Structure formats: C-alpha cells, structure tokens
Amino acid sequence: TSAAARAGRISTAWKRGDAGFSLEVSVPPNTTAEIHIPAAASAVVRVGGKPVEGSGEVRVVSRDAAKVVLATGPGAYRFTAG
C-alpha cells in the first residue's frame, strides 16, 4: 500500500505467516512515523535483522500484550517479529 504525501511517498507492505510477521515501510524525508507491530511484549522485534533496542535508527515507544510501538525518522525499514 502506498500514498502520496506532501513530503513524498509513504509505503508499506506486510506479511504474516508461520515464521512470524514482517513489515516493510518507507518514510519520506523530513517526516517521522509511529509504527505498530503486532507482537507480544516479550517478542524480539528486529529492524534490518538486528534487534530494535540499541539499533540507533528506531526507538521503542511502548510494549504491551498485543503490540510493540516504534518511532522512526525518514528512510526505508524492514521489521520482523516472531
């Protein structure tokens, strides 16, 4: 899915399967995004294959039993959980 925004194109593509959940996101320049990943609080969420904690490019905003909320700046990201 994609949409045109004043700052540029925003796009997402996601998939859920036996291996877990994956999400590809493109955030346009000069913007930020809040991303909700469906995952248990104890799940390891990765960006570009590395855990989001300490990645430097993504900040964990909150975790609960159903989702992990992340904050990002502009760029292209691939998240996985599961």
Side-chain angles (χ1 to χ4, degrees), residues 24-57:
E24 294 181 12
V25 177
S26 180
V27 180
N30 302 313
T31 63
T32 60
E34 183 176 281
I35 299 169
H36 295 236
I37 305 289
S42 62
V44 175
V45 177
R46 298 178 181 277
V47 58
K50 300 175 185 172
V52 293
E53 287 86 352
S55 71
E57 45 185 341

Side-chain angles (χ1 to χ4, degrees), residues 11 18 34 36 40 43 45 63 78-82:
S11 65
D18 293 338
E34 183 176 281
H36 295 236
V45 177
R63 288 179 177 264
R78 182 171 192 278
F79 298 98
T80 57

